[in-house]
Amino acid sequence: MKIARIAPLALSLLASSALVACGAEESSPAPAAAGSPPSATEVGAPSPRLAMSYDGGVLVLDAGSGEVLLDEHVDGFLRLNHAGDDRHVLVSGSGGFTALDTGAWTDAHGDHGHSWVGEPRLTGFTIKAEEPGHVVAHHGRTTVFDDATGDITAFDPADLADLEGDGGAGPRLDTWESVDAHHGVAVQDGHGNLIRTVGDADSRNGVEVVTAAGNRLAASDDCPGVHGEAVAGEVAVIGCEDGVLLVDGREITKVDAPDAYGRIGNQAGHDDSRYVLGDYKVDRDAELERPTRVSVVDTRTAGLRLVDLPASYSFRSLGRTPDGDGLVLGTDGRLHVVDVRTARVSSSLPVTAAWQEPLDWREARPLLEVVGGTAYVTEPATKQVHVVDLARREVVDSLTVPEVPIELRAVTG
């Protein structure tokens, strides 16, 4: 493992129009971004904000009013990822992962907190990557993966607060090298050990657990087509084409799908629930399978159950309620609540018009983003973001946005 401290990079790292979908590489020193952020103002309560990507850039919106607080023009296809501190978002684009400061946060002080707002900005802090891939925030550590090199970088997201002024060094970066590059994912557990996928450009078939120094503690090659992860408490759930792997410390357990090919590649976990919600596909040869079932994995019993839905959904459709139930945004325009204990749809509510998943995964489609007790659902056809109160199970507001939303991330502020 290498350890390095980096300086902010110029914003030009994101200026290429090259298409990137998924990676990470340690950044090198460069001049700080021009201009320090303005002084923050203390406010009486947290101020949620939304980061939204569109074809040509990224917006930051006030989640209550929909007011555009930042419109940063950036070339190329962008992806948005939670940075892990409930303030910053990592923007994946050409050149790597760049921290976007949403400009709203709360400093905790024992039994209370002080909330602050300021102007959002795209910072100069970038973790370089040839093909930025998965980002996982867990247990106070954020891990990013570079699909082109297999390099893995982890940091403490709390250190992103150092970026507030010019010259802030930013987080210390811990890095690991994979044996072979592949479309992978990694997550660091509470003991500093790293769970990472194993594969190469042609195939991916397992995971391994290594120490901070890179020594192997456990491994499994029983996970064909390994893709994606979610965490239930301390258990990491890794998706396979025939089920999932449960990684609990040094113990790895295979949970078989009921079908010979039963792919689970996108999942939604919950820190306080033993269950993980996942997608479920059975057609190996489909150009685009539009599934109508989801999976529920019980990490305590290593059980897997399937839930029938009245409509299909996409990889951006999964979420969890504050109390741990599953949420699936269907192509029927309804938000379906899945009782994970009984593996049944318990209720549904209309949110958008009916829609169809496009063939190109980069094209805009309705998506679900959940923060606390609020679900945000985009509707690209109308340039809207619908606000759903999950306790009341109803749409309480609809924000009109100036661009067609592609990806959306919310912070509570």
Side-chain angles (χ1 to χ4, degrees):
M1 179 183 72
K2 298 180 291 182
I3 297 178
R5 184 173 289 277
I6 67 173
L9 296 180
L11 293 181
S12 59
L13 284 172
L14 282 177
S16 167
S17 60
L19 174 67
V20 233
C22 292
E25 181 179 299
E26 194 173 338
S27 55
S28 55
S36 58
S39 299
T41 301
E42 186 170 6
V43 292
S47 301
R49 290 185 171 177
L50 304 175
M52 187 193 93
S53 68
Y54 64 92
D55 185 9
V58 60
L59 300 172
V60 175
L61 310 168
D62 182 293
S65 67
E67 177 188 359
V68 176
L69 305 174
L70 175 72
D71 186 353
E72 188 76 34
H73 294 277
V74 183
D75 292 333
F77 180 74
L78 306 178
R79 304 210 67 185
L80 304 179
N81 315 272
H82 287 291
D85 64 347
D86 205 24
R87 170 180 173 179
H88 293 82
V89 171
L90 293 183
V91 181
S92 302
S94 179
F97 305 85
T98 295
L100 171 67
D101 186 351
T102 64
W105 68 96
T106 296
D107 294 325
H109 294 280
D111 61 351
H112 70 286
H114 294 273
S115 297
W116 303 85
V117 296
E119 293 186 13
R121 65 180 185 128
L122 189 62
T123 75
F125 175 82
T126 298
I127 301 173
K128 290 199 302 184
E130 294 180 31
E131 292 183 24
H134 285 277
V135 177
V136 180
H138 173 61
H139 224 297
R141 299 289 291 173
T142 300
T143 308
V144 304
F145 200 100
D146 185 341
D147 288 350
T149 64
D151 289 347
I152 299 162
T153 304
F155 62 92
D156 184 343
D159 293 340
L160 291 171
D162 294 341
L163 303 175
E164 288 185 44
D166 283 344
R172 185 186 74 177
L173 303 181
D174 301 337
T175 63
W176 293 260
E177 296 179 355
S178 299
V179 175
D180 294 295
H182 61 283
H183 178 52
V185 66
V187 56
Q188 202 168 14
D189 67 17
H191 305 288
N193 298 323
L194 187 77
I195 304 166
R196 63 183 179 187
T197 55
V198 177
D200 55 34
D202 297 321
S203 66
R204 309 183 303 271
N205 62 0
V207 300
E208 64 179 5
V209 183
V210 299
T211 66
N215 299 316
R216 179 185 282 191
L217 299 175
S220 171
D221 60 1
D222 189 14
C223 189
V226 58
H227 182 274
E229 61 69 46
V231 176
E234 296 300 319
V235 181
V237 181
I238 310 296
C240 315
E241 291 180 348
D242 59 356
V244 298
L245 292 180
L246 307 182
V247 184
D248 187 1
R250 299 189 183 193
E251 183 177 349
I252 302 177
T253 303
K254 177 63 178 289
V255 180
D256 291 319
D259 299 279
Y261 180 85
R263 184 181 186 274
I264 300 172
N266 299 283
Q267 304 171 67
H270 191 288
D271 287 340
D272 300 321
S273 173
R274 73 189 201 190
Y275 300 96
V276 166
L277 178 73
D279 59 3
Y280 192 75
K281 297 184 176 181
V282 295
D283 187 350
R284 184 190 299 270
D285 301 320
E287 180 182 7
L288 173 65
E289 182 177 351
R290 296 184 171 97
T292 57
R293 290 184 293 176
V294 290
S295 58
V296 175
V297 174
D298 187 333
T299 60
R300 292 187 184 177
T301 65
L304 188 158
R305 290 178 292 177
L306 301 178
V307 183
D308 289 313
L309 299 172
S312 63
Y313 57 93
S314 86
F315 72 98
R316 292 189 176 120
S317 290
L318 304 181
R320 304 294 291 270
T321 67
D323 60 4
D325 275 339
L327 292 170
V328 185
L329 178 62
T331 55
D332 56 358
R334 302 179 72 86
L335 189 59
H336 303 284
V337 181
V338 176
D339 186 327
V340 292
R341 290 158 293 279
T342 63
R344 291 184 175 184
V345 174
S346 59
S347 63
S348 301
L349 65 141
V351 181
T352 72
W355 54 280
Q356 184 177 57
E357 182 180 6
L359 289 175
D360 187 340
W361 69 271
R362 293 160 294 192
E363 288 187 25
R365 82 286 307 281
L367 66 80
L368 170 67
E369 168 73 348
V370 181
V371 174
T374 303
Y376 299 95
V377 176
T378 64
E379 188 163 11
T382 60
K383 291 186 180 179
Q384 287 182 303
V385 177
H386 304 293
V387 183
V388 180
D389 185 316
L390 293 174
R392 293 158 56 182
R393 297 286 199 267
E394 66 176 317
V395 177
V396 294
D397 200 2
S398 293
L399 310 175
T400 298
V401 294
E403 305 286 349
V404 175
I406 297 178
E407 294 207 348
L408 188 80
R409 294 297 180 197
V411 299
T412 63

